[in-house]
Amino acid sequence: MRRRAGILTLLAAGVLAACSSPDAPGADPTPSGAPTPRPTTVVEPTQDPETARLAALARLAEQAAADVPQRRAARPRSGEVLGADVSWPQCPPGMGIPERRTLGRPMPLPEAEFVVLGLTNGPGHTANPCLADQVRWVRDRHLLAAAYAVVSLPDRTAVAADGSSGPYDGSTRLGALANAGYQQALANVVTMRRAGLATPVVWVDVEPVPDFDWSPDAEANGAVVEGAVRGYRYAGYRVGVYSTPALWAGVLGDLALGLPEWRAAGQTSRDEARRRCAADWSIQGGAGVLGQWVEAERDQDLTCPGTSARMGHWFQQY
């Protein structure tokens, strides 16, 4: 694809050969049948967390986006709570970037008590063109709200612009990619704050992005995702991931960040979304918070067991 061509040169690197075990011949350092632990990171920041946090907040303030709407506590609920998520497809038709023209799809059903609002128009560094209108829609109905954002592989231009700016060592391949993901996150925070959206959490959407392909290198992709996660955290938000086990593995291999999970069930049913709250549907080692399914032209969501008692942990009350 057109974006992939530029990044392949950047991602090219030698493959390290596995070293032989120093143990005696025939020795097996891993007990038979023991599972191999999943990696929990691919790149570490070089800035200390407090310095990086203050730098992130300073950058947001420079862009006149530091004022966060005042948060109202969401009261605990009992039982399963129904909600929905919306983004650029629900904007009036014809808006957005050429690859993601908006579709005018319907907004959530009247029964929905919460809405997760998408910040991007598909890939990173593209803003949902009607986010402010969607925030007003939520506010007018006094619903609960949260936010999500797609993370995507930065092209060569984005890495050149953002690779040296952030908490990672931009002189390294993975550090530059992580800084580019970090800057995607800060750009999305600017979008969110300018639209007047307050939320305690940002869900990082990890899946294939047609026309903006991920690399075949899971380690490089992981650096971008880790950078984005750290960007949201330094800006003051909790972070979770939205995906499925198969989609996650296709992009990131066996990387296990252990973040809370919003689990997609596709064109199935509410029952199937509820089943995906179970531990056997874990994506990357985190607990299930929300389940999603598609029905009646809408992305619908429900709370997993335990979530409804902590609604203020996950949602802003409008």
Side-chain angles (χ1 to χ4, degrees):
M1 308 300 288
R2 61 181 177 83
R3 300 226 172 186
R4 184 183 248 170
I7 197 66
L8 288 179
T9 301
L10 180 73
L11 296 178
V15 177
L16 297 176
C19 296
S20 300
S21 170
D23 296 334
D28 182 0
T30 303
S32 177
T36 302
R38 294 174 64 175
T40 59
T41 187
V42 299
V43 60
E44 293 286 352
T46 53
Q47 279 187 332
D48 70 87
E50 184 61 15
T51 298
R53 186 184 71 83
L54 293 174
L57 295 176
R59 184 178 178 95
L60 294 173
E62 287 172 4
Q63 298 178 63
D67 291 334
V68 184
Q70 185 175 3
R71 287 205 58 210
R72 293 174 56 200
R75 64 176 177 81
R77 311 292 175 92
S78 60
E80 188 174 276
V81 183
L82 178 68
D85 56 278
V86 301
S87 188
W88 61 269
Q90 285 72 35
C91 295
M95 303 172 71
I97 61 175
E99 298 90 342
R100 297 288 186 280
R101 290 300 186 203
T102 55
L103 304 172
R105 288 183 179 166
M107 291 294 281
L109 295 169
E111 307 92 89
E113 296 187 51
F114 66 82
V115 182
V116 188
L117 298 163
L119 307 180
T120 57
N121 186 194
H125 281 305
T126 62
N128 175 349
C130 71
L131 179 61
D133 290 336
Q134 292 174 349
V135 173
R136 281 191 288 271
W137 189 93
V138 168
R139 183 182 293 116
D140 289 346
R141 290 158 178 79
H142 305 292
L143 301 175
L144 301 167
Y148 82 91
V150 174
V151 61
S152 62
L153 185 72
D155 62 16
R156 188 174 185 176
T157 300
V159 174
D162 297 332
S164 61
S165 181
Y168 298 89
D169 181 358
S171 67
T172 67
R173 177 181 67 110
L174 294 181
L177 288 166
N179 281 336
Y182 175 88
Q183 295 301 334
Q184 281 187 30
L186 295 190
N188 290 333
V189 172
V190 170
T191 295
M192 177 168 57
R193 294 183 176 182
R194 286 179 176 166
L197 175 58
T199 175
V201 63
V202 178
W203 296 95
V204 177
D205 183 337
V206 178
E207 59 183 299
V209 184
D211 298 316
F212 301 89
D213 295 344
W214 283 102
S215 162
D217 183 343
E219 187 178 52
N221 299 340
V224 177
V225 172
E226 285 194 54
V229 167
R230 201 167 295 273
Y232 292 120
R233 280 180 169 163
Y234 287 168
Y237 298 94
R238 298 186 184 95
V239 185
V241 298
Y242 166 91
S243 196
T244 71
L247 294 177
W248 179 274
V251 174
L252 300 173
D254 59 354
L255 182 65
L257 300 180
L259 297 170
E261 297 181 356
W262 175 16
R263 300 172 182 170
Q267 296 267 0
T268 56
S269 66
R270 184 169 182 165
D271 285 344
E272 180 60 29
R274 186 180 298 115
R275 279 193 287 272
R276 299 207 177 191
C277 290
D280 57 354
W281 273 99
S282 180
I283 298 165
Q284 42 79 68
V289 174
L290 301 174
Q292 180 208 58
W293 80 104
V294 181
E295 185 178 9
E297 296 188 307
R298 293 171 172 88
D299 289 353
Q300 304 197 55
D301 301 280
L302 54 78
T303 56
C304 291
T307 302
S308 61
R310 304 179 69 210
M311 296 298 279
H313 192 81
W314 305 110
F315 296 101
Q316 161 80 18
Q317 177 67 65
Y318 282 92

